[in-house]
Amino acid sequence: MTQKTIVLTDPGQDQAAALFMMLGAPQAFDLLGIVATAGNIDLTHTTQNCLKLLELANRTDIAVMAGCPRPMAGDLVTAEHVHGPTGLDGPQLPAPTTTISEEHGVEFIIRTLRAASDGEITICSLSPMTNLAMALVQAPDIASRIRQVVAMAGAYFEVGNITPTAEFNVYVDPMAADIVLNAGVKTTLLPLDVTHRMLSTPARLAAMGAIGNRCGTATAEMLTFSQTFDLNKYGWEGAPLHGPCVPAYMLRPDIFTGRQINVSVETGQNLATGMTVADWWGITDRHKNVFYVRDGDPDAYYDLLIECLGNLP
Ligand code: RIB
């Protein structure tokens, strides 16, 4: 069944792959619009990167809106050390010929949800959750229109990646994550605990490049660039491929496992800022607000990505 979907993203090579997975599965995703987030790189770059990726996939019919230029509190933390100075380093993607919408991303979220029926629209969050949280604060009535939030966010058993305790998307805007997780909306998290199982080995990168189309080739080149930092850091056979876990879960929930638990966010300024405290063993009586995905099938995951990439130009 096709799901009406709003995508929140700060591409980021892994998120390029996630966007391509969605675009390669039009039977499942009706993309209503993309809200560019400040995160991996600044907002100027993330908006341009969204335009570049849509042009590469011949999908300039999908609108791109710029969200907020920084998190709800504090300064923006970026990740050029992973993604490069443009955020999409690797291939030389042509400068976009299209432009973003004049509508602000937060206003787009509010307007689109208010025009929807209850439980009609899915939010795919690949980035910090700043713009969804801002929309929920500005217009609390929109929560009922959200079918579910599916987000790449958080970590518990795999601990942090941007600090010893926090995953990047939550660390950039912990207040936003806290607001979303307590909005009373059905929420599924794809944390580092599962994305670290999805390693882009040389064979898997080669399979992407062997598809023979420009989106497959660009994805292989992008991930070959962005893997460098993680290979040096973790010493694994491949770098974890985070973003596509979100659309993959929506396409094939059967290849993932998890449980309904409480996840709370450390929003204070301390050693654990941005930590997602996952009550996996049900020790507290806190509300079980999240379906927390802890594991998945890497072979099925990459087969799905290759299949979707093969449907693109
Ligand atoms: O922590 C990993 C996530 O943060 C990835 O989606 C990466 O693109 C960054 O946004």
Side-chain angles (χ1 to χ4, degrees):
M1 181 186 76
T2 304
Q3 291 194 50
K4 290 186 176 181
T5 304
I6 294 173
V7 181
L8 315 177
T9 182
D10 58 334
Q13 293 87 350
D14 69 295
Q15 297 181 40
L19 194 55
F20 284 163
M21 182 181 276
M22 286 185 255
L23 295 173
Q27 76 286 357
F29 299 99
D30 175 7
L31 299 190
L32 303 180
I34 295 174
V35 177
T37 307
N40 280 322
I41 196 80
D42 62 52
L43 187 63
T44 302
H45 281 97
T46 58
T47 53
Q48 294 301 298
N49 291 347
C50 289
L51 295 173
K52 288 180 181 179
L53 295 169
L54 290 175
E55 290 187 26
L56 206 61
N58 282 349
R59 289 304 306 275
T60 55
D61 58 296
I62 298 172
V64 176
M65 278 61 58
C68 299
R70 67 167 181 82
M72 298 184 83
D75 297 327
L76 176 64
V77 173
T78 54
E80 289 93 339
H81 60 286
V82 177
H83 301 283
T86 73
L88 275 190
D89 288 59
Q92 290 302 318
L93 299 179
T97 60
T98 50
T99 56
I100 62 170
S101 164
E102 291 184 2
E103 185 175 29
H104 192 284
V106 174
E107 292 307 318
F108 167 77
I109 293 169
I110 294 171
R111 177 178 61 81
T112 305
L113 289 174
R114 281 180 167 162
S117 305
D118 278 359
E120 185 177 10
I121 294 179
T122 292
I123 309 290
C124 281
S125 180
L126 309 174
S127 69
M129 300 183 213
T130 308
N131 298 296
L132 177 56
M134 291 288 286
L136 287 164
V137 168
Q138 182 176 330
D141 59 284
I142 64 175
S144 66
R145 312 300 171 84
I146 299 173
R147 176 179 181 178
Q148 61 176 339
V149 174
V150 185
M152 192 278 131
Y156 190 64
F157 296 97
E158 275 296 296
V159 296
N161 58 0
I162 190 69
T163 73
T165 54
E167 179 276 325
F168 180 80
N169 286 334
V170 178
Y171 182 74
V172 169
D173 201 336
M175 187 180 295
D178 182 54
I179 288 169
V180 172
L181 295 191
N182 290 293
V185 172
K186 179 185 176 185
T187 300
T188 299
L189 293 187
L190 286 299
L192 298 183
D193 305 329
V194 64
T195 67
H196 280 190
R197 297 267 291 123
M198 310 304 187
L199 301 183
S200 292
T201 61
R204 288 165 175 163
L205 291 175
M208 296 174 205
I211 295 170
N213 61 8
R214 65 176 188 238
C215 289
T217 300
T219 301
E221 291 174 348
M222 284 189 276
L223 296 179
T224 299
F225 175 90
S226 60
Q227 70 175 355
T228 304
F229 180 81
D230 283 337
L231 292 181
N232 291 333
K233 175 179 178 181
Y234 296 113
W236 295 337
E237 61 177 339
L241 185 54
H242 309 287
C245 282
V246 169
Y249 175 81
M250 293 175 64
L251 285 166
R252 289 284 312 278
D254 60 295
I255 70 173
F256 295 92
T257 58
R259 66 174 66 163
Q260 193 73 24
I261 63 170
N262 175 267
V263 175
S264 298
V265 180
E266 175 55 70
T267 57
Q269 290 304 311
N270 52 53
L271 274 177
T273 300
M275 181 176 182
T276 45
V277 181
D279 187 5
W280 182 260
W281 302 114
I283 296 170
T284 75
D285 60 357
R286 296 178 191 141
H287 173 58
K288 295 182 178 178
N289 56 337
V290 162
F291 185 76
Y292 192 86
V293 179
R294 184 173 178 188
D295 203 353
D297 177 344
D299 289 330
Y301 177 71
Y302 280 93
D303 287 348
L304 182 61
L305 177 58
I306 297 294
E307 177 188 346
C308 292
L309 286 172
N311 295 331
L312 299 176

